[in-house]
Amino acid sequence: MIKKYTVGGMTCSACSARVERCVKKIDGVKSVTVNLLTGAMSVTSDIDLTEEIRRSITAEGYTVKEGAEHKRASDREKKLKIRLIISLPLVVLLMYVAMGAMIKIPVPWFLNAMDMKGAISGSLVQAAIAAVIIGVNFDYYIRGFRNLFTLKPNMDSLVALGSSVSFIYGAFSVAMIIKGHVVADHKLMMKYMDNLYFEGAAMIVALITLGKYLEEKSKNKTMTAIGKLLELAPDTAIIEVNGEEKQISSQELKRGDIVILKDGANAPCDGVVIWGNGYADESAITGESIPVYKEAGEKIVCGTTFSGGYCKFVAKNVGEDSTVYKIVKLVEDANSTRVPIAKVADTVAGFFVPVVMGIALIAFAAWLIAGYGMSFAVNIGVSVLVVSCPCALGLATPVALMVGTGKAAENGILVKSGEALQKLASVDTVLLDKTGTLTANKPKITKTVVFSGDENELIAVAASAEKQSSHPLAKPVIALAEERKLALENVENYKAVQGQGLTATLGREEVAVGNLRLIKSVLSLDENTLKTAEKAAEGNPTVLFVACGGKLKGYFVVEDTVTEQAKKAVNEFKAMKMKVVMLTGDNELAAKKVADELGIDYKAGVLPQDKYSEVVRYTESGRKTLMVGDGVNDAPALTAAYVGMAIGAGTDIAIESADAVLIKNDLRDAVGAVRLGKAVMRNVKENLFWAFFYNAVLIPLACGVLYIPFGVLMNPMYGSAAMSLSSVSVVLNALRLNFVKLGNNKTENKKSEVRVMKENKTIVYIDGMMCDHCKKRVTEAFKSIGVTADVDVKKKRATFGEAAASDEEIKSAIEAAGYTVKKIER
Ligand code: ADP
Ligand code: MG
């Protein structure tokens, strides 16, 4: 079982690594992942280990709550903001009191610690303001010292040490000033008046809070966008029980329930439509703003808004298994620990803190021994501590991955792990499946030829058998049967013959639907029929033959053409200098036609294990493969490939086997995913470089290496400012990923968005519409010319907003569908 928790108090990747380690040690824990950014932890185990987990995490100094909390992040932002609102004005006030006189701004004498008269009152005021600021930001002290005393120092330990050492030294100076005053030793007073350091002590914590706040704010931006997805899933669902509607809570939904979707409702889970039709607005999940037409056999995604119809669908993935939850989880899990490159940063961070403390101590001792005095040595030690907080290092990878996966999800690309995103960047060979990947997911039947019996019988037999299949070629057959309202029967002994078709028994008769190869293997055809069949298959690469009761009943010619998106995608892959190869279970003729059209290599007639061994062959020759497929026969190859990518409309097993899913079924998104992968990796490397570089340069500087030759010394305050800036810059750099062009149809989208959003202006009066089927056909006809129209059968008209379609285009499309246009009003 997998259980979710929320861990509080983690601040850097050393923290998340420690929590992970301590939970992993518990007996019975199989695996654990911890996300530093969200605090989400998921633990896989056979039994409930909550108590043990709580005990060991609390012992490490963190808090833990059961369940995933999605709102946690914004609460943190609010708290940080309050702290900032209190701290910042006080810091300004403190700066004024401490440094005003130095830069010649008038400061009343009693506040001016550099004035003999005001030395005591001035320094006490500084101490008081600093104490308030530290008090407001005291949690760095608590966490930092707790970790220090348990010998597990982290970034907070550096801050706490740096700040407290400054403060204590300041307090000591105040004591010395008072002593000097009491014994009238002006020299002693003068010596300590310049060395108060209160502003440094307070500034460090205030600046870190500022950095954290900015960081939190930008992280939350990404998180809220994703969190909104969750709100799309409704709390209640209407299901059909014994033919009656029943409202239940979405949590009670089970796989296999028949869910009813009415006009305007949001889908409560994922599923497949079995009856009715309408449009689904999938924009929140795919970024595609035009509603997608849905009918029997098509997938409904949880959270999408259904309109313009009524449908029933079978629930498939419910609750936490549904697509929206998966997206949210994926983005949250884009965690440093799982990405190979992040391990470098984690290992370094683990050593870093103790090493830095060592350096600070050595530098402090060295200057002290060299005779530069206590205050100088303290200054150096504190600078080293605050300048080397490894937070930029800890953030470098997770933030980039998080923004990257978020961006991918927004564009309908589900990348299942940060690792997959990293791997995508180095892909050099693209292997593509044909049917359903390069060609449309729902092909069209262009011709039906009957040998014996009548046409409806042929369709009914074929559809009854295909109803069991999830192959793209099954869909048009089922749709045709639906359109003619044919009663489908239940078949038995259904068997999918991969790459060929299917066999089943209907009543007492053997049925086979598939290509010629299949028919030849189940029937011994006489000379004549064989010739006719071969002839049919020759001219039309994709022919579905139907055999029943030992006889060839007829065939369908299916238009299985390469989609425009696929063409563009292949060209873009080629432009990226990738080797593109098509692997298909279909016959040589069909394969050649498609491959020639695209100008790519191919391998035809491959069985599932051949696709797999083909992938292995490329891998062994040192190539990094990206396999894209949709079918059952692609699953082994998808698993074996360096990166496997499934078409969203494809079979569940393909989706399960893949590392990434293209929800929009648009092959161009595969290109976008590769681009994004490259951009993310570049970003991670930039981030890591800057984080390392920054520490490598500033630590020696803080140690004072430039003091003797040039007199350059770093003030602890500048150190903490620079440190906060480095985290902020890493986050900002990662946010740049939001502007990466994935090169998909965004611009086209925008245009059509305008088209849909504008008020309905054009009215087309249509004659001949009688029923819902007519409505569907007319709607489809409009769709074919790129118009999303609202069709009203009763009023005999269709309305839509401004569209690029001309009157001629509209007329010919509607007439081709078998209706007449009477008038067009614009
Ligand atoms: P690809 O590997 O290109 O996706 P498939 O192996 O899925 O192709 O299918 C290859 C051929 O097998 C199809 O062109 C079709 O002739 C036949 N076929 C497979 N499944 C079916 C089915 N359910 N119904 C009819 N024909 C099928
Ligand atoms: Mg396929």
Side-chain angles (χ1 to χ4, degrees):
M1 87 179 154
I2 298 176
K3 252 195 111 149
K4 300 237 165 66
Y5 300 89
T6 309
V7 181
M10 298 188 294
T11 48
C12 65
S13 51
C15 297
S16 54
R18 191 177 320 136
V19 169
E20 204 172 295
R21 235 176 297 146
C22 86
V23 175
K24 220 176 248 165
K25 264 194 232 142
I26 299 172
D27 265 348
V29 170
K30 285 193 181 142
S31 73
V32 50
T33 55
V34 181
N35 187 326
L36 167 64
L37 296 181
T38 58
M41 173 172 80
S42 61
V43 180
T44 318
S45 61
D46 284 334
I47 46 166
D48 188 358
L49 292 167
T50 305
E51 266 323 297
E52 286 83 345
I53 290 170
R54 189 190 302 281
R55 221 175 296 135
S56 64
I57 290 184
T58 329
E60 291 285 334
Y62 302 94
T63 60
V64 61
K65 264 191 232 155
E66 266 179 90
E69 259 177 57
H70 296 289
K71 292 207 181 77
R72 200 185 70 95
S74 62
D75 285 350
R76 234 175 101 174
E77 184 185 324
K78 244 185 246 153
K79 275 188 201 146
L80 284 167
K81 193 172 175 180
I82 293 171
R83 276 161 53 173
L84 212 55
I85 291 172
I86 301 173
S87 312
L88 284 187
L90 286 177
V91 167
V92 174
L93 183 65
L94 181 57
M95 298 288 283
Y96 164 71
V97 175
M99 306 206 187
M102 217 163 12
I103 50 172
K104 310 244 163 9
I105 301 174
V107 177
W109 65 267
F110 60 91
L111 286 180
N112 186 0
M114 288 183 201
D115 189 311
M116 265 307 167
K117 278 185 283 169
I120 294 178
S121 54
S123 55
L124 284 175
V125 166
Q126 283 188 36
I129 301 174
V132 174
I133 298 173
I134 290 173
V136 171
N137 299 292
F138 203 63
D139 60 336
Y140 302 128
Y141 272 62
I142 298 177
R143 280 201 303 265
F145 281 116
R146 190 169 50 203
N147 284 326
L148 191 63
F149 294 143
T150 48
L151 295 181
K152 298 161 197 153
N154 68 345
M155 170 190 137
D156 287 332
S157 312
L158 294 181
V159 175
L161 259 180
S163 168
S164 59
V165 168
S166 303
F167 191 86
I168 291 167
Y169 190 76
F172 171 73
S173 303
V174 176
M176 286 298 129
I177 294 171
I178 295 174
K179 184 182 165 200
H181 181 77
V182 172
V183 301
D185 181 349
H186 282 206
K187 254 201 192 142
L188 185 69
M189 282 177 80
M190 293 283 267
K191 185 178 166 205
Y192 285 98
M193 270 153 57
D194 297 345
N195 283 324
L196 286 171
Y197 284 133
F198 286 124
E199 75 277 3
M203 186 79 125
I204 295 166
V205 287
L207 279 178
I208 289 190
T209 302
L210 174 67
K212 287 226 157 135
Y213 170 71
L214 291 178
E215 189 188 309
E216 197 71 25
K217 207 173 148 88
S218 34
K219 278 190 323 203
N220 282 350
K221 251 202 199 139
T222 317
M223 290 305 295
T224 22
I226 303 158
K228 277 207 188 107
L229 280 178
L230 281 183
E231 288 162 22
L232 292 172
D235 297 334
T236 56
I238 303 173
I239 58 168
E240 193 180 74
V241 186
N242 302 328
E244 274 177 37
E245 282 184 20
K246 190 178 157 201
Q247 184 156 3
I248 59 167
S249 134
S250 297
Q251 278 154 5
E252 296 170 53
L253 270 174
K254 283 186 309 295
R255 207 183 169 89
D257 280 345
I258 307 290
V259 182
I260 294 175
L261 267 190
K262 297 182 181 175
D263 206 355
N266 280 16
C269 63
D270 294 346
V272 176
V273 178
I274 47 166
W275 191 89
N277 57 55
Y279 291 88
D281 175 0
E282 298 180 337
S283 54
I285 293 179
T286 63
E288 170 76 58
S289 54
I290 309 171
V292 187
Y293 185 70
K294 300 282 175 183
E295 59 184 351
E298 231 119 350
K299 288 189 180 177
I300 292 276
V301 181
C302 178
T304 54
T305 312
F306 186 77
S307 64
Y310 175 96
C311 84
K312 291 181 194 171
F313 72 95
V314 195
K316 282 271 159 82
N317 302 320
V318 299
E320 301 228 326
D321 293 327
S322 61
T323 312
V324 265
Y325 276 93
K326 275 192 197 147
I327 297 180
V328 173
K329 201 179 153 303
L330 286 175
V331 180
E332 283 184 357
D333 281 355
N335 187 345
S336 57
T337 44
R338 284 208 266 140
V339 183
I341 195 169
K343 295 227 167 87
V344 185
D346 280 349
T347 325
V348 173
F351 284 111
F352 200 78
V353 178
V355 168
V356 163
M357 292 184 142
I359 295 177
L361 202 64
I362 292 168
F364 166 79
W367 286 106
L368 198 63
I369 293 164
Y372 281 79
M374 190 64 172
S375 96
F376 188 88
V378 166
N379 195 342
I380 295 275
V382 171
S383 296
V384 173
L385 287 177
V386 295
V387 89
S388 29
C389 288
C391 40
L393 208 59
L395 284 173
T397 326
V399 175
L401 283 175
M402 171 140 175
V403 177
T405 15
K407 164 103 182 167
E410 265 169 39
N411 284 279
I413 307 165
L414 265 195
V415 186
K416 292 195 194 164
S417 68
E419 183 169 358
L421 206 54
Q422 174 173 350
K423 282 175 158 183
L424 271 171
S426 51
V427 159
D428 58 12
T429 306
V430 184
L431 304 174
L432 301 166
D433 161 62
K434 182 179 76 75
T435 322
T437 301
L438 285 168
T439 63
N441 182 259
K442 211 185 111 196
K444 271 191 231 136
I445 291 180
T446 52
K447 203 163 124 192
T448 310
V449 176
V450 193
F451 289 151
S452 69
D454 79 343
E455 195 171 290
N456 282 349
E457 196 187 317
L458 174 77
I459 297 169
V461 168
S464 299
E466 292 283 21
K467 209 168 58 167
Q468 325 294 319
S469 170
S470 51
H471 197 271
L473 289 177
K475 290 181 190 169
V477 180
I478 302 168
L480 190 60
E482 255 230 337
E483 207 175 294
R484 303 201 178 184
K485 293 202 154 61
L486 302 177
L488 301 189
E489 285 167 69
N490 286 330
V491 295
E492 275 162 30
N493 305 326
Y494 165 80
K495 215 177 116 220
V497 187
Q498 290 306 326
Q500 297 184 29
L502 59 87
T503 58
T505 43
L506 184 66
R508 252 187 242 122
E509 292 183 320
E510 293 289 324
V511 180
V513 187
N515 56 18
L516 196 55
R517 187 151 135 206
L518 175 83
I519 299 299
K520 276 188 192 162
S521 71
V522 295
L523 289 184
S524 51
L525 300 171
D526 62 76
E527 278 287 303
N528 265 344
T529 336
L530 186 64
K531 264 209 187 113
T532 339
E534 270 172 351
K535 222 168 153 208
E538 244 167 53
N540 309 291
T542 309
V543 179
L544 293 190
F545 292 97
V546 185
C548 182
K551 265 196 276 177
L552 192 58
K553 274 191 101 62
Y555 63 83
F556 302 98
V557 176
V558 185
E559 190 184 86
D560 191 24
T561 47
V562 180
T563 57
E564 280 308 307
Q565 294 103 307
K567 274 185 208 160
K568 285 192 185 134
V570 167
N571 283 336
E572 285 181 47
F573 274 133
K574 282 201 243 165
M576 289 163 106
K577 304 253 172 323
M578 305 236 185
K579 185 176 172 64
V580 186
V581 183
M582 180 178 85
L583 302 177
T584 175
D586 212 347
N587 63 45
E588 176 74 25
L589 187 70
K592 188 165 166 32
K593 185 177 152 250
V594 170
D596 285 352
E597 188 178 345
L598 293 169
I600 56 174
D601 290 340
Y602 70 94
K603 204 160 176 172
V606 287
L607 299 170
Q609 59 269 34
D610 300 334
K611 286 200 187 197
Y612 168 83
S613 38
E614 208 47 24
V615 169
V616 172
R617 197 171 66 78
Y618 278 107
T619 311
E620 278 171 358
S621 69
R623 290 194 159 265
K624 303 255 163 80
T625 51
L626 164 64
M627 165 83 200
V628 191
D630 72 314
V632 178
N633 60 343
D634 299 316
L638 288 173
T639 321
Y642 188 58
V643 185
M645 208 177 257
I647 301 288
T651 50
D652 289 344
I653 175 159
I655 292 173
E656 283 297 310
S657 315
D659 301 305
V661 184
L662 307 179
I663 303 186
K664 271 186 284 179
N665 310 323
D666 184 338
L667 198 56
R668 278 175 303 178
D669 288 338
V671 182
V674 171
R675 280 210 187 106
L676 185 66
K678 284 188 199 279
V680 167
M681 283 317 286
R682 210 178 311 124
N683 203 285
V684 166
K685 283 180 193 155
E686 280 162 15
N687 280 351
L688 283 178
F689 171 78
W690 285 114
F692 276 118
F693 176 83
Y694 162 87
N695 279 323
V697 169
L698 289 191
I699 293 178
L701 202 65
C703 285
V705 288
L706 293 183
Y707 184 67
I708 295 170
F710 304 113
V712 176
L713 194 63
M714 184 187 281
N715 186 313
M717 222 155 45
Y718 295 136
S720 52
M723 201 231 42
S724 303
L725 267 181
S726 78
S727 315
V728 173
S729 63
V730 160
V731 173
L732 288 181
N733 188 39
L735 286 178
R736 271 190 330 129
L737 283 171
N738 276 315
F739 303 109
V740 171
K741 287 227 162 53
L742 299 190
N744 55 11
N745 50 349
K746 271 280 153 216
T747 43
E748 287 165 38
N749 265 359
K750 287 227 175 78
K751 247 195 253 156
S752 14
E753 199 168 8
V754 175
R755 206 187 275 174
V756 178
M757 300 304 275
K758 282 238 170 115
E759 277 232 358
N760 283 348
K761 267 187 187 157
T762 311
I763 307 173
V764 182
Y765 292 91
I766 302 164
D767 248 6
M769 295 193 293
M770 319 275 284
C771 61
D772 268 356
H773 284 293
C774 301
K775 176 177 173 171
K776 193 169 112 187
R777 250 185 243 155
V778 171
T779 314
E780 293 271 83
F782 273 113
K783 235 180 126 188
S784 72
I785 52 169
V787 177
T788 309
D790 207 341
V791 181
D792 194 330
V793 177
K794 270 195 205 137
K795 291 184 185 154
K796 295 188 180 177
R797 63 178 202 185
T799 48
F800 54 87
E802 238 171 26
S806 68
D807 288 9
E808 273 67 36
E809 268 183 278
I810 296 173
K811 269 190 193 144
S812 66
I814 300 299
E815 260 146 36
Y819 304 90
T820 45
V821 174
K822 275 182 66 184
K823 200 167 76 178
I824 298 179
E825 267 179 29
R826 294 219 186 230

